[in-house]
Amino acid sequence: MARMEAAVGRRFIAEIKAGERIEDEVFLIRSKDLRTTTTGGLYIHAVLIDKTGQLVARAWQASDEMFQGMPEGGFLRFKGRAENYKGNLQFIIDAMRPADPGSYDFADFLPTTRGDMEAMWKRLVEILRQIKHPQLAALVGEFLNDKELMGRFRKAPAAAAMHHAYIGGLLEHTVSVLEVALRIVPQYPKLNLDLMLAGLFLHDIAKSTELSFETAIGYTDEGQLLGHITLAAIWIDKKADLVGSKLGKPFDSELKWVLQHIVLAHHGQYLFGSPKLPAVPEAIAVHYIDNLDAKLSMFFSEMENDRDPQSRWTNYNRALETKVYKPDVMGARG
Amino acid sequence: MARMEAAVGRRFIAEIKAGERIEDEVFLIRSKDLRTTTTGGLYIHAVLIDKTGQLVARAWQASDEMFQGMPEGGFLRFKGRAENYKGNLQFIIDAMRPADPGSYDFADFLPTTRGDMEAMWKRLVEILRQIKHPQLAALVGEFLNDKELMGRFRKAPAAAAMHHAYIGGLLEHTVSVLEVALRIVPQYPKLNLDLMLAGLFLHDIAKSTELSFETAIGYTDEGQLLGHITLAAIWIDKKADLVGSKLGKPFDSELKWVLQHIVLAHHGQYLFGSPKLPAVPEAIAVHYIDNLDAKLSMFFSEMENDRDPQSRWTNYNRALETKVYKPDVMGARG
Amino acid sequence: MARMEAAVGRRFIAEIKAGERIEDEVFLIRSKDLRTTTTGGLYIHAVLIDKTGQLVARAWQASDEMFQGMPEGGFLRFKGRAENYKGNLQFIIDAMRPADPGSYDFADFLPTTRGDMEAMWKRLVEILRQIKHPQLAALVGEFLNDKELMGRFRKAPAAAAMHHAYIGGLLEHTVSVLEVALRIVPQYPKLNLDLMLAGLFLHDIAKSTELSFETAIGYTDEGQLLGHITLAAIWIDKKADLVGSKLGKPFDSELKWVLQHIVLAHHGQYLFGSPKLPAVPEAIAVHYIDNLDAKLSMFFSEMENDRDPQSRWTNYNRALETKVYKPDVMGARG
Amino acid sequence: MARMEAAVGRRFIAEIKAGERIEDEVFLIRSKDLRTTTTGGLYIHAVLIDKTGQLVARAWQASDEMFQGMPEGGFLRFKGRAENYKGNLQFIIDAMRPADPGSYDFADFLPTTRGDMEAMWKRLVEILRQIKHPQLAALVGEFLNDKELMGRFRKAPAAAAMHHAYIGGLLEHTVSVLEVALRIVPQYPKLNLDLMLAGLFLHDIAKSTELSFETAIGYTDEGQLLGHITLAAIWIDKKADLVGSKLGKPFDSELKWVLQHIVLAHHGQYLFGSPKLPAVPEAIAVHYIDNLDAKLSMFFSEMENDRDPQSRWTNYNRALETKVYKPDVMGARG
Amino acid sequence: MARMEAAVGRRFIAEIKAGERIEDEVFLIRSKDLRTTTTGGLYIHAVLIDKTGQLVARAWQASDEMFQGMPEGGFLRFKGRAENYKGNLQFIIDAMRPADPGSYDFADFLPTTRGDMEAMWKRLVEILRQIKHPQLAALVGEFLNDKELMGRFRKAPAAAAMHHAYIGGLLEHTVSVLEVALRIVPQYPKLNLDLMLAGLFLHDIAKSTELSFETAIGYTDEGQLLGHITLAAIWIDKKADLVGSKLGKPFDSELKWVLQHIVLAHHGQYLFGSPKLPAVPEAIAVHYIDNLDAKLSMFFSEMENDRDPQSRWTNYNRALETKVYKPDVMGARG
Amino acid sequence: MARMEAAVGRRFIAEIKAGERIEDEVFLIRSKDLRTTTTGGLYIHAVLIDKTGQLVARAWQASDEMFQGMPEGGFLRFKGRAENYKGNLQFIIDAMRPADPGSYDFADFLPTTRGDMEAMWKRLVEILRQIKHPQLAALVGEFLNDKELMGRFRKAPAAAAMHHAYIGGLLEHTVSVLEVALRIVPQYPKLNLDLMLAGLFLHDIAKSTELSFETAIGYTDEGQLLGHITLAAIWIDKKADLVGSKLGKPFDSELKWVLQHIVLAHHGQYLFGSPKLPAVPEAIAVHYIDNLDAKLSMFFSEMENDRDPQSRWTNYNRALETKVYKPDVMGARG
């Protein structure tokens, strides 16, 4: 099976309709079960997913070999047909075969930002070019020129759950807070824009290492043991050394400390994992802008993803400690 | 003594220099003490204040009558001379006499915003005129047209201590958060600008009643018993009734509830006196914008008011739970 | 089907016995399921409820049409027979047909106080008539004479869960705390009885609007956005205005503030949604009397509703943060 | 100096007037200081107290011997005269001599309940005689008959500070909560009156050992190391053993545990030192009645002791987390 | 059935293999269910346990009588065969009959320490014999000589869940903390070894009464109402009285208080149920040694019991507030 | 003035006796005041300190020049005599002159460990040499060979206040916890000794940079902005890179992460500034050993430094949340 097929585009779960036949498509197997019919036969009950949703699937006349051949958390190519069952879609599996790793795109199986990732990246670079302070600009440049790091940064989610928990989410969140800073700083001229931009760029940058996001979003060992806050502080230290050796004079210590401090303090409270509380104005501003963007993202996604269009309240959201009220009293969200 | 003198302008404490004679000026008496000299005589030790600072004063050859005639927390006219004493200024009182209530301006004795209060008021009105939703515009209009309320609103401080704790502080804080909303909402088009503006205008409006600010900033009985959050919710209810009777149809209930909810939830946490947590996106946005403005104001005033120009850290600030780091590592605050 | 049937009285679930035939009775359908028998046929599995309990029901030889015709959360008339199945009662449905809305009483499907609601209402009025202070008596009278409000007040539960969570619960709880006040105030003569009675009458009055209790107990939008504490403060303000205009002189401000303060502070802590902490003796007394009554109600209902008569401890109760010990060591609860 | 003098009655500090001579009176010396006059001589500055207040005293022409002879925290007999000094009373010491321990009453130097301690004791016994359950009555009897313990119980304060912090305060508080129980239990017939009475009698009984109250109110070592909650649990265990051996059959274990549990849980929360949370209805009732009485006592004493009759609010009270509003809006406290 | 069989040893669930026949073995019935086969017959589905694990069991051609005869939470003798079913072991019941109480050992059905309980007991006694202070040695001796108490102490778990939650766990934990004290005290010579040993021996001793551990680990009524902390304080009081009467002079009060204080304070915080915070050095040392041992035990058991050998992190542990990282980066746990 | 004088040794404040003459000694001037005598002359009142205590000093016939010449927080050489004044020592200044910076030792003016700093350092190295794991030994070696860092490490206090707040305190605390680990690990063989030793050596190492301790103990800017926890994590990263480049292969990542994790988690709770909670057994062990040593140090120093030998309790200690009970009930602290 050639790569060309991917170019044609896959049939996403959200698009499949009852009565439709699927000749050959890759799905991620979230779970599987070998069950007995009322007449004594065996059948497989499975849940298949891609980034657009999930599909209950059944394979009749199953055998233990078939069952063993299905990798939970892995990929297979499926042939079959979609039916309606009690108002929900059900997929009847006719055949399964291995999926060649090169023949599908992992990104199809993870939720992804709706934003244009290339455009967001360009905007990020454009904004960061506005930094005028030579040392700070050089430091930010060290990060931007770190191909391997930026490769992960551009794909990473901004969280394992909670907000922007999708491929590209970290980039989207970072650009968004930078835009907010560009808008707000003129209102508070005592805030230093360069420091705000650098701090916001770096505040969550280590999420790119804290989180794993190859086949599912989770935590890496390094992330779980150290956390993105400490990782970013370490990285700034090392990049500052690099800048110093390139510029031929040590990076300004105080500037480095303040930048690291902004990152360390951006969760705003000890209880939320910040080892230091904001002690410079830019640190408190970064903290509130980060929170504003993350919480608004949670509100909007809670409202959009709510399953019951007729209810006026979403389900209880633990991070927000409340349900969200959905009626559009102002026509604002039309 | 004619009112004209006020036109000429008073001699403020911050301007008085050693060696200077004061022929006739009003001061607020913060505290007084009758003490004995080492030679057995009596003298009065007092602290005089106006909005620019405080002055230690002494009256030699004092009598108990003189002492009784000085109203603690009240005003007198003073004649005397300023001297240097151990590096600090000291005022030697030659004579004191009653100060006719009409002959001085209370505002000279309270700290006042450095902003132009008239210009800020115009800007406030200008911004609020952008509200397009007819009912909401009418409701905001009811508040703006309430002369007695707006009279207090324009003078009130935004807090008894903490941030913007000076005459005009509430107006300054309110205009500032409105400006931030104008800048930020375009970045989050799902937020309703009308609702943001109305919510930010009203979030602290009842500070004008919660606080007393005639001769000193404190709490009124009404404010201490009910709080500005509940007062604003009550006022919105009553103004909405007024709008309803003027428009000839009831004010939209849901819109009213959401607006009241934004006010009730703007402290963001139960522990900070909000009886409800933010349940609409505009409520969380109002909460963070309010906090951003208040906390930045605290940072900047902490840095400006720090007494020791050589120290690199301010004193510990209880509300911020930290000292503030003052060095201008970026030349940002030059 | 005539209303007369209701007069004859319904057959409540708690009274139904195995072997009994039900010719025609209305039940609320909590949930329904279309299932397959081991022989391939379809059957419906449903749960029917009224205020006395719930009943598992089955309809054999079911069709999809029958299934679609059952409104989840709605009402139908049922014909069938009760059987024993594995020790539990099971209802076999023979026929179902629509239930004319006028032909049954919603109250039969919601848990209701065991108290005599009419007698409790009379006692409430009797107690409140003891208020001697003219303005306070007039204010309480405004509430009592508000037919629409009292209509809801007399039916409302006192909570969505936790304590007195049944029709008439608010009335029952209110009368109970008034009785306690009548008993306790003579022990503390510095407490003002009028203020205690008015405060206790009004402390939860807005539960009548905060909660919905037509077909199930839940929260209204207004209740969830504003809360009963703020609503009551608003109502007192408006009723005081009414009293003022009727009496021809403004309602005493301080008295109004103190009454509103008692309501605002009755949860006793910020964390429990009170925006103010008790600052007058009557406020702290209202707080403790309210809590005493609510918590005792929780203890007794936890003990009575415990399913396992042989266990010595009830299940863990989250609000009480403990299990409850049931043995009657004193013969007290015999 | 004979005891008879005490019969005549002492001259209390609150009664002393300027110009008055004191021929021979005992005072407790709170603090003393040896100072130098401006002419180089020595004088003693001391603060003398009794239960009605304190008095600044001076002894001119002092010597080091005189100074050494004044026991800080101890008693002396003083001769001298009262003068007015800067609006305050000042006592000029003419002579001092030792105070024979038998010649004065410690109680004159400690604040004491205004209640009639003998009458309160009789009322306590009268109430506790109502306990009908034989074992419980016997147990309570063991406590009442413990002369040494009851001797301390009748004199002890109910707290070191906070509420009822005066001689007889524990008895006063205990009788008060028992009275409340007698009034409330009929409203909640499921509560066992015997258990309520015994629990309330014993809940703070070990304050009599936790606190020291000979010459000042403080904590004993035993009290500070173990606390009154644990001490009472131990005492109940030992008294129950005594009852068992007297009655010839073991005290009912479950009854003992429940009684001890009520005592252990009466602070209501772990944070306030209760090792167990209320798990029987009587425990929660004891908790709230105890709190109601203690908090009301704090409110009333805060209002009565407030020094500034013109202020409308008392000082901030840390235990209440608020100032108290003093105006008598209802004429309730006239 | 003779006791001798026990000598031969039971067949533990962890040892049973597919295909194996069980002729006659006792199992504890955790749960049972009467179900219908697809052909309409009845069968019993049950879960059988012993201390080594659990076993799903089925009895075909079941009757209601058979079902009623199975005591949930009780014991029966089973005959049958083990089969493989979908990768798991399944036990097919051929016959069941009553199990004579004397014919099996309860301990076989509860998880038990892997340590040698007899050796641990000897070590405990050996360590406690090092106490030199006569009164303290006598007091500890009273506990050691209390046969009935020591009988329970030697079998009790150290907790109902969390750590050392198995038969013998209390003994194991106690010996372990005593060993740590022997090692650490020489490093801190100001700590008194006798007091440390006595305090550690007694800190959890009342777990032997707080917990029930006959057929399952749970709480006794006494334990739930009073807690092991208060119980131990009571026991020390009574044993000290005994020592006093045996030695003919009262037990030293201060020593008793300090020992009781160490027990009361050993949870270290009010929130964890300690009514007093550590106020002597030995109390803080006992607190940390107790925690060190308990938490290490939790870490090691979390790592050992983790079901997925390939995962690098265990499941989230609520007491530790984290997952545990399993990789052996040092070869330490090889 | 030659350095030789230092060899002879200074006269410490704690050793000075009334009547003694001081010919030439350096003191640190904590505070100074220019005052007027009763006869109108000027005199200087100053407080002089060294590490052993403080001394009130007076210079009669003072001039403003003399006063200006005294650097607050700086050093001078003093000539004068010690007198008794009201029971306290008073130093009468006869002459003052500048103190050549090289002529005295800063360490004489800061409190210093009583331990032998050289011996402690040797013991530290000796213990750390026991680390067998090659990479870990190399990493620890990098730290030990960092002369500049070790220079600070050997002098630093372990805290600004609280525990070991004196020169050499960090070294003393570090050696002490290492000794505890050597004693405890054999009791818990699953703990890896190498990892424990490295973790304990590094847990507070950055206190050497977080704190300033030249003329007084305080915080550096770097310390206040970043904290010793983050600094140590950064240093480990950099030293591991060094080891990697020296050994010619990258330092094992997982080992590095675990070591950094132990440092990050050693405060045990978010609230105490740890951005991660202990997730490996060695991390929890390091946390408790650190706490045990720090808290015991606080207990012992609280008891030793208590000013009132007759009181049985020390003052309230905020970190311990209690007073400390001083009586030596066991003769343990003799």
Side-chain angles (χ1 to χ4, degrees), chain C residues 190-254:
Chain C
K190 286 178 192 162
L191 289 176
N192 182 268
L193 180 59
D194 283 2
L195 204 47
M196 290 294 298
L197 296 181
L200 286 166
F201 171 45
L202 298 173
H203 84 289
D204 270 354
I205 197 170
K207 293 257 177 130
S208 58
T209 286
E210 186 185 40
L211 300 173
S212 63
F213 42 91
E214 282 68 37
T215 59
I217 297 179
Y219 285 89
T220 62
D221 285 2
E222 189 176 1
Q224 198 134 327
L225 288 168
L226 304 186
H228 70 280
I229 281 185
T230 300
L231 284 171
I234 293 172
W235 295 355
I236 291 171
D237 224 89
K238 292 184 160 179
K239 297 290 190 200
D241 283 356
L242 269 180
V243 170
S245 63
K246 286 183 182 172
L247 295 184
K249 62 166 186 178
F251 195 93
D252 179 57
S253 299
E254 291 182 22

Side-chain angles (χ1 to χ4, degrees), chain C residues 7-316:
Chain C
V8 182
R10 65 176 278 112
R11 187 69 183 164
F12 283 108
I13 286 172
E15 302 162 345
I16 296 175
K17 292 194 175 56
E20 182 175 342
R21 284 205 63 84
I22 301 294
E23 288 307 324
D24 180 13
E25 195 53 271
V26 177
F27 296 108
L28 173 55
I29 299 158
R30 170 166 286 169
S31 66
K32 60 169 184 174
D33 235 349
L34 189 62
R35 298 185 181 170
T36 314
T37 64
T38 55
T39 57
L42 290 171
Y43 73 94
I44 293 169
H45 173 277
V47 177
L48 309 180
I49 62 170
D50 65 17
K51 70 177 180 185
T52 68
Q54 65 176 49
L55 196 57
V56 170
R58 276 187 177 81
W60 305 109
Q61 278 96 31
S63 67
D64 202 54
E65 288 73 32
M66 282 172 62
F67 183 71
Q68 298 301 338
M70 294 178 73
E72 220 162 13
F75 298 86
L76 279 188
R77 295 200 158 271
F78 290 85
K79 178 177 180 180
R81 64 188 188 279
E83 296 184 346
N84 240 330
Y85 181 68
K86 293 188 186 177
N88 290 315
L89 210 62
Q90 173 176 279
F91 184 69
I92 305 300
I93 300 168
D94 290 338
M96 300 181 275
R97 63 186 177 98
D100 169 13
S103 70
Y104 53 90
D105 186 354
F106 282 141
D108 286 345
F109 299 92
L110 283 171
T112 304
T113 176
R114 294 185 214 155
D116 175 339
M117 286 169 65
E118 200 49 42
M120 291 193 293
W121 170 251
K122 279 185 184 145
R123 180 62 182 146
L124 178 93
V125 174
E126 184 182 50
I127 293 175
L128 294 176
R129 276 210 194 109
Q130 302 184 27
I131 296 177
K132 295 192 183 66
H133 188 284
Q135 286 199 327
L136 206 53
L139 183 75
V140 165
E142 281 299 327
F143 279 96
L144 287 176
N145 295 330
D146 185 332
K147 290 254 162 66
E148 192 272 333
L149 169 56
M150 286 301 108
R152 276 181 287 126
F153 174 75
R154 291 165 70 168
K155 285 196 66 179
M162 310 276 280
H163 73 100
H164 300 94
Y166 42 73
I167 295 297
L170 177 56
L171 178 58
E172 183 182 326
H173 171 57
T174 305
V175 171
S176 184
V177 294
L178 288 170
E179 298 281 13
V180 171
L182 288 180
R183 292 168 180 276
I184 281 181
V185 170
Q187 175 71 12
Y188 299 104
K190 286 178 192 162
L191 289 176
N192 182 268
L193 180 59
D194 283 2
L195 204 47
M196 290 294 298
L197 296 181
L200 286 166
F201 171 45
L202 298 173
H203 84 289
D204 270 354
I205 197 170
K207 293 257 177 130
S208 58
T209 286
E210 186 185 40
L211 300 173
S212 63
F213 42 91
E214 282 68 37
T215 59
I217 297 179
Y219 285 89
T220 62
D221 285 2
E222 189 176 1
Q224 198 134 327
L225 288 168
L226 304 186
H228 70 280
I229 281 185
T230 300
L231 284 171
I234 293 172
W235 295 355
I236 291 171
D237 224 89
K238 292 184 160 179
K239 297 290 190 200
D241 283 356
L242 269 180
V243 170
S245 63
K246 286 183 182 172
L247 295 184
K249 62 166 186 178
F251 195 93
D252 179 57
S253 299
E254 291 182 22
L255 173 52
K256 183 184 69 175
W257 300 336
V258 166
L259 188 60
Q260 288 173 310
H261 173 80
I262 290 171
V263 170
L264 292 176
H266 86 267
H267 282 190
Q269 294 186 31
Y270 293 127
L271 263 183
F272 297 157
S274 265
K276 284 288 165 185
L277 301 192
V280 296
E282 287 81 7
I284 199 83
V286 164
H287 165 60
Y288 282 122
I289 292 174
D290 176 30
N291 254 273
L292 175 70
D293 191 69
K295 290 281 168 59
L296 280 179
S297 156
M298 289 166 71
F299 267 89
F300 294 134
S301 96
E302 190 71 48
M303 292 164 88
E304 282 158 24
N305 297 333
D306 191 63
R307 290 176 201 150
D308 181 355
Q310 288 173 338
S311 76
R312 302 169 66 81
W313 294 83
T314 67
N315 289 326
Y316 182 82

Side-chain angles (χ1 to χ4, degrees), chain E residues 179 183-184 187-188 190 192 254-255 278-279 282 288 291 293 295 304 312 322 325 330 332-333, chain F residues 176 179 183-184 187-188 190 192 254-255 278-279 282 288 291 293 295 304 312 322 325 330 332-333:
Chain E
E179 299 281 12
R183 290 168 181 276
I184 281 183
Q187 174 71 12
Y188 299 105
K190 286 178 192 161
N192 182 268
E254 291 182 22
L255 173 53
E282 286 81 7
Y288 283 121
N291 256 272
D293 191 70
K295 290 281 168 60
E304 281 158 26
R312 300 169 69 79
T322 183
Y325 184 62
M330 296 288 291
R333 291 181 279 279
Chain F
S176 185
E179 299 281 13
R183 291 169 180 275
I184 280 183
Q187 174 71 11
Y188 299 105
K190 287 178 191 163
N192 182 269
E254 291 181 24
L255 173 53
E282 286 82 6
Y288 282 121
N291 255 272
D293 191 71
K295 289 281 169 59
E304 281 158 24
R312 301 169 67 80
T322 183
Y325 185 63
M330 296 288 292
R333 290 180 278 279

Side-chain angles (χ1 to χ4, degrees), chain E residues 133 136 175-177 179-180 183-184 186-192 194-195 252 254-255 257-258 269 277-282 284-285 288-289 291-293 295-296 299-300 303-304 312-313 320-325 327 329-333, chain F residues 133 136 175-177 179-180 183-184 186-192 194-195 252 254-255 257-258 269 277-282 284-285 288-289 291-293 295-296 299-300 303-304 312-313 320-325 327 329-333:
Chain E
H133 188 285
L136 205 53
V175 171
S176 185
V177 294
E179 299 281 12
V180 171
R183 290 168 181 276
I184 281 183
Q187 174 71 12
Y188 299 105
K190 286 178 192 161
L191 289 176
N192 182 268
D194 283 2
L195 204 46
D252 179 56
E254 291 182 22
L255 173 53
W257 299 338
V258 166
Q269 295 186 32
L277 301 191
V280 297
E282 286 81 7
I284 200 84
Y288 283 121
I289 292 173
N291 256 272
L292 175 71
D293 191 70
K295 290 281 168 60
L296 281 179
F299 266 89
F300 294 134
M303 292 164 88
E304 281 158 26
R312 300 169 69 79
W313 294 84
L320 300 176
E321 292 176 71
T322 183
K323 299 173 173 192
V324 175
Y325 184 62
V329 297
M330 296 288 291
R333 291 181 279 279
Chain F
H133 188 284
L136 205 52
V175 171
S176 185
V177 293
E179 299 281 13
V180 171
R183 291 169 180 275
I184 280 183
Q187 174 71 11
Y188 299 105
K190 287 178 191 163
L191 290 175
N192 182 269
D194 283 2
L195 203 46
D252 179 57
E254 291 181 24
L255 173 53
W257 299 337
V258 166
Q269 294 186 34
L277 302 192
V280 297
E282 286 82 6
I284 200 84
Y288 282 121
I289 292 173
N291 255 272
L292 175 70
D293 191 71
K295 289 281 169 59
L296 281 180
F299 267 89
F300 293 134
M303 293 164 88
E304 281 158 24
R312 301 169 67 80
W313 293 83
L320 300 176
E321 293 176 69
T322 183
K323 300 174 173 191
V324 175
Y325 185 63
V329 296
M330 296 288 292
R333 290 180 278 279

